[in-house]
């Protein structure tokens, strides 16, 4: 029996995305379909990604840039690029940016499923590897470094995940207000500033670096995450 995975499909072609999501869900996977790279950090329910299927020609941030960013943040996630670009140089770029498998469109669903099954045999064993850097465990909302851990509130965890998944690990103030205040209609800029201060203290505490500034304010823009954090898969 194939391993059940939490899969994210990033594809801007609506019909193709819907067919792919339905086909993979029928195999027992939990599948989320997104129309763009930018939609990733707006999804609060995506807490632990096992595998991503990414189209290259996306609106906004392209699939290659997204692949590189995801590989930097999710070191253990499986990445399959599905693209109409079938030249060797395009495939090399995909692998260079961190893809595990590069499939050429139109890829049969049977081939895609076989690729997922092959990757699943490598994804799960990697989860047992010891982590040597600061790690966020989304399900438990724990920040862990070696034997030290600290708990985050749901809002704090949502903000960290959003910053990790954003281009350059930075977001505008209004974006963070939407994320932190999703369940709080009256959430204010002052409330966000308090949350950022708490997060800084927790990041410094778990990393035991008093001189660290893990979240920097960007004048007239927002905030940027400035420390290395991986997401436990």
């Amino acid at each position: 029996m194939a391993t059940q995975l939490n899969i994210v499909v990033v594809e801007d072609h609506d019909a193709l995305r819907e067919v792919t999501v339905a086909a993979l869900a029928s195999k027992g996977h939990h599948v989320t379909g997104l129309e763009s790279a930018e939609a990733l950090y707006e999804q609060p329910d995506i807490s632990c990604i096992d595998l991503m299927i990414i189209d290259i020609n996306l609106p906004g941030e392209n699939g290659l840039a997204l692949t590189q960013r995801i590989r930097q943040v999710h070191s253990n996630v499986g990445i399959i690029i599905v693209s109409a670009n079938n030249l060797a140089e395009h495939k090399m770029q995909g692998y260079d940016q961190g893809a595990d498998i590069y499939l050429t469109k139109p890829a049969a669903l049977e081939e895609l499923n076989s690729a997922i099954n092959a990757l699943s045999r490598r994804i799960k064993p990697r989860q047992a590897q010891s982590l040597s850097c600061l790690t966020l465990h989304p399900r438990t909302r724990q920040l862990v470094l070696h034997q030290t851990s600290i708990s985050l509130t749901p809002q704090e965890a949502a903000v960290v995940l959003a910053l990790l998944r954003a281009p350059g690990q930075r977001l505008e103030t209004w974006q963070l207000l939407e994320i932190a205040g999703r369940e709080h209609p009256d959430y204010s800029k002052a409330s966000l500033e308090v949350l950022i201060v708490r997060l800084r203290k927790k990041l410094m505490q778990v990393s035991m670096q008093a001189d660290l500034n893990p979240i920097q304010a960007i004048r007239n823009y927002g905030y940027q995450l400035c420390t290395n954090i991986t997401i436990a898969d």
Side-chain angles (χ1 to χ4, degrees), residues 1-7 24-31 48-51 113 116-117 120-121 123-124 127 139:
M1 183 176 178
T3 303
Q4 295 183 349
L5 301 174
N6 186 8
I7 299 175
L24 297 181
S26 72
K27 299 294 184 180
H29 301 296
H30 179 271
V31 191
C48 188
I49 302 169
D50 292 314
L51 188 146
N113 190 56
I116 291 171
N117 289 340
S120 71
R121 294 192 289 269
I123 293 169
K124 293 303 179 181
Q127 295 178 359
R139 290 193 179 100

Side-chain angles (χ1 to χ4, degrees), residues 2-51:
T3 303
Q4 295 183 349
L5 301 174
N6 186 8
I7 299 175
V8 175
V9 178
V10 188
E11 167 63 63
D12 64 320
H13 189 288
D14 293 341
L16 179 57
R17 183 178 64 254
E18 291 170 5
V19 167
T20 303
V21 168
L24 297 181
S26 72
K27 299 294 184 180
H29 301 296
H30 179 271
V31 191
T32 301
L34 303 176
E35 73 281 359
S36 67
E38 289 75 15
L40 180 62
Y41 67 82
E42 298 173 356
Q43 300 296 313
D45 295 333
I46 300 177
S47 59
C48 188
I49 302 169
D50 292 314
L51 188 146

